[in-house]
Amino acid sequence: MWVGTSNNYAYLVVDDQSKDAVIIDPANPEEVAPVLKEQIDSGKINLTAIINTHHHWDHAGGNSKILDQFSGLPVIGGNKCEAVTRTPKHDETFQIGKSISVKALHTPCHTQDSICWFLEDGDDRVVFTGDTLFIGGCGRFFEGTAEEMHKALNETLAALPDDTKVYPGHEYTKSNVKFLTTVLQNDAVKNLESFAENNKETQGKFTIGDEKTYNAFMMLEDPSVQKATGKTAPVEVMAQLREMKNSM
């Protein structure tokens, strides 16, 4: 873990056996590249690819500069990502090194090329969600609809094992909790609020199962959420929640 100057997360994923590694969303190359160079020069990693969650500049905008320093790397991501060379199909899988399996989960809405990446290494499971799912929230519907976000969160991501740890694209938990407290008053929200107040970073600390207990965008049939939105149909609840969050 290293800390840069923005609220973006770039993630370095390394297979322990082979040292093969990928860098996910290296949007700030001035800060990311020196870390990668040190890791490579010291023999700690063998960088094999850049992976993007979507094409927005604060996720894929550093690809070309990373390639200037580390030439020949494939860029795996949505079809609008900078310098992209490969876009896996939904549910397509590939390996990082010997032990990490990666599955592409297409989740169009925030952007139409949004892809979440589900990784498994033995009994460890994580998902890199970009700007689709945040801890306690979700991304804006810039290129999609409430129906698409409902499918992304409550069909595609909700189907992952409950113990899958969530690694989002930004650290937005404090602002998300502020909104959640206006919609839900349960213990899970209170616990998340306490954690966010006492921890600067929340990535990897919560799971898909956790999200189902406090993330209103994944609780569209909850009576409290429906009461707060004045809607009952799931897609309408999703749309109203997003409007309410946007207006905060």
Side-chain angles (χ1 to χ4, degrees):
M1 170 63 68
W2 71 93
V3 178
T5 57
S6 74
N7 62 21
N8 284 58
Y9 283 124
Y11 297 105
L12 180 63
V13 179
V14 184
D15 172 54
D16 290 336
Q17 292 186 52
S18 65
K19 305 301 180 187
D20 285 354
V22 301
I23 183 70
I24 299 177
D25 286 354
N28 297 305
E30 295 81 5
E31 297 176 349
V32 174
V35 176
L36 295 177
K37 186 176 187 303
E38 186 279 326
Q39 294 280 307
I40 292 169
D41 290 349
S42 64
K44 294 178 181 177
I45 67 169
N46 171 36
L47 191 62
T48 62
I50 297 169
I51 294 180
N52 291 138
T53 58
H54 61 294
H55 72 262
H56 283 165
W57 67 270
D58 58 337
H59 295 265
N63 291 353
S64 292
K65 288 187 177 180
I66 294 291
L67 290 170
D68 286 343
Q69 188 163 346
F70 308 101
S71 60
L73 293 175
V75 177
I76 305 170
N79 59 9
K80 293 183 180 180
C81 292
E82 183 176 284
V84 66
T85 60
R86 178 183 171 194
T87 301
K89 297 178 181 179
H90 179 66
D91 277 344
E92 185 176 335
T93 62
F94 59 93
Q95 292 285 126
I96 301 171
K98 296 180 179 179
S99 60
I100 301 175
S101 67
V102 183
K103 179 181 287 188
L105 302 174
H106 288 214
T107 51
C109 182
H110 180 72
T111 66
Q112 283 299 302
D113 71 341
S114 290
I115 300 176
C116 295
W117 302 97
F118 175 57
L119 278 61
E120 292 184 285
D121 183 354
D123 293 330
D124 294 326
R125 287 175 280 271
V126 303
V127 62
F128 296 93
T129 56
D131 289 3
T132 295
L133 172 65
F134 299 120
I135 305 299
C138 71
R140 291 175 181 260
F141 308 166
F142 285 132
E143 297 181 8
T145 64
E147 184 174 7
E148 286 179 312
M149 186 59 81
H150 175 39
K151 180 178 180 180
L153 297 185
N154 298 310
E155 295 181 22
T156 302
L157 293 179
L160 295 176
D162 278 348
D163 64 353
T164 303
K165 294 178 180 178
V166 178
Y167 287 84
H170 296 270
E171 184 54 60
Y172 288 161
T173 307
K174 285 186 178 180
S175 64
N176 287 340
V177 169
K178 184 178 179 181
F179 172 67
L180 290 177
T181 58
T182 69
V183 179
L184 287 165
Q185 302 295 328
N186 66 22
D187 288 341
V189 171
K190 293 175 183 177
N191 291 337
L192 180 62
E193 181 179 29
S194 176
F195 188 92
E197 288 176 352
N198 292 287
N199 293 273
K200 184 178 180 180
E201 297 166 4
T202 60
Q203 81 288 358
K205 303 298 184 182
F206 298 93
T207 66
I208 290 293
D210 294 328
E211 291 299 310
K212 295 174 183 178
T213 68
Y214 55 65
N215 190 331
F217 295 93
M218 296 184 75
M219 302 172 65
L220 304 182
E221 296 183 1
D222 185 279
S224 296
V225 175
Q226 293 184 348
K227 182 178 179 180
T229 59
K231 308 291 184 180
T232 55
V235 172
E236 293 180 2
V237 175
M238 175 68 77
Q240 186 62 25
L241 282 172
R242 188 66 258 175
E243 287 299 316
M244 291 164 63
K245 179 68 166 62
N246 290 348
S247 66
M248 281 193 67

